[in-house]
Amino acid sequence: MDDLRAAIGRYVVLPSEEALTAVTLWVAASHIQPALQHAPRLAVVGPTKGCGKSRVLDVLHETVHKPMMTVNTSPAVVFRVIGEDPPTLLVDEADTIFGPKAGDKEDLRGLLNAGHQRNRPAWRISGPEHKATAFPTFAMAALAGIGDLPDTIMDRAVVLRMQKRKPGERIAPFRSRYSVPELNALRDRLTAWLGPLRSTAEGLVPQMPVEDRAADTWEPLVIVADLAGGHWPSRARAACLAMTRNEVVQDEQTTLKTRLLRDIRRVFEQQGDQEALRSHDLLAALIQDAEAPWAEYGTKGLNAYHLANLLRDFGISPANHRFENGRQAKAYARNQFLDAWARYCPDPVPPATAAGETVVARRAQGKPLTPPTGTLPIGPPGGPAGPRPTR
C-alpha cells in the first residue's frame, strides 16, 4: 500500500494528501469487489481541461482489478460486461455523457446509481424468446470529466477536485514502456495480497467516522485500510472525514449560488426586466433584502468581488454597458443569466388553465395580484371525462 501510494503520487498531483490516500485505498478496494456490499464511485472532476483527470485514469487502468476503459458507452454494453466478478469501469470525458448537450442518458445514470449497492439488478427483455432477464449492475466505477457530475452520482462517490499544476509542481512522465510494467507489478502484488483475504473482508464491519451514504461509500476503503494495518486505519479515517467535510462545504456553496441566481432574477423582475443592471445597483438590491444572507456575507457584506466570484462558474461576468443617459458603467446583462436560470432555478410549470381564461404573467411592481372575476368552471378537472393523461 505504501509503494502504491508513492507510485500514484509520482504520476499525478492530487488536491491533498487525503485525496492521495483515498485513491490508493480505492484502487486496492477494487481487488476485493466480490466481498463488498457497496461499490464506491470515484468522481475525478476539474473546472477545465489540463487538470490531470485523464492521467488519473491512466494510472488506475494499470492498477485496478479488471479495468474497462471507455470514453463513451451505453447501458446495453455495461449490462453485459458486469457479472459475478465485475470489471472496474473507467469512464473518461464523462461530461460528454451527462452534460447538457448529451441528450437522454437517464438509463446509464440509473445503472451507475443502482450499481453502487449490491443486489440492485436491472431487468430487461432479452433473447429470441423475449424473457425477462436480471442484469447485475454492481461494479466500482471511476468517472472523469469537466465540472461536477450529476448529484446522484456525486453523492455516491469519493470526489477528487483536480486543479492545474503549479509551476513548481513536478510529476514523472507517464510512458508505457516503463510506467505500465511498474504499475502492473504493483497491481499483481495487490491481487496476491488481497485475493486470499476476500472472505475475511466480507466479514469485517469497521467503525466508521461518518454515517449514512457517506459511510456506505467509504466503508470499502476503510476495510482495506484495516486489512493493511499499521498507519493505514487512522490515515483512512482521517481522509474520510476531511473529504466528506469538503463536499459538505461544496454543497453549501452550490446551494448559496443557486439562491443568488434566484435573488438576481427577482431583482431584474422588480426593475422591469431591464436589459442590464449596474453592478452597484444590483448589489444594493441584494443587500437590502432582509431575508437574504447577502448583508452578512463575508466580513462586511456582499461586494462586487464576491458577486463576480460567485457567478464565475456560471459563465457570468460584469462588463461595460452604455445606459440611456449615455453613461457607461460596469453592469450585468440580463441575457447572461438566462441559461443559468433555466438550468439551476427554472420557473415552476404553470398550471393548465381553462379555455378563455387569462394568465397573469408577472406581479405588478408593488401591487398584489388582482383577484380573478367571473365564476369558476364546475366539474372535475379536465371536464366531464376527468383529467387528461400526461404524455
Side-chain angles (χ1 to χ4, degrees), residues 49-61:
K49 62 182 181 180
C51 293
K53 300 179 295 295
S54 296
R55 179 53 46 83
V56 171
L57 293 191
D58 289 337
V59 174
L60 296 181
H61 186 269

Side-chain angles (χ1 to χ4, degrees), residues 162-237:
M162 304 293 289
Q163 298 290 336
K164 280 183 174 288
R165 286 189 290 123
K166 296 177 183 178
E169 292 177 324
R170 296 284 183 263
I171 57 172
F174 187 90
R175 298 291 182 267
S176 297
R177 61 183 180 273
Y178 56 81
S179 302
V180 169
E182 174 198 3
L183 295 173
N184 286 173
L186 286 167
R187 178 199 61 201
D188 295 343
R189 289 168 61 191
L190 285 174
T191 302
W193 166 49
L194 289 169
L197 294 177
R198 286 182 179 179
S199 58
T200 302
E202 191 171 8
L204 290 180
V205 183
Q207 291 288 331
M208 297 297 298
V210 292
E211 298 178 338
D212 302 325
R213 183 161 284 158
D216 295 340
T217 297
W218 278 85
E219 184 182 72
L221 282 65
V222 174
I223 286 174
V224 169
D226 287 350
L227 290 173
H231 58 80
W232 280 98
S234 59
R235 176 176 280 181
R237 288 168 173 83

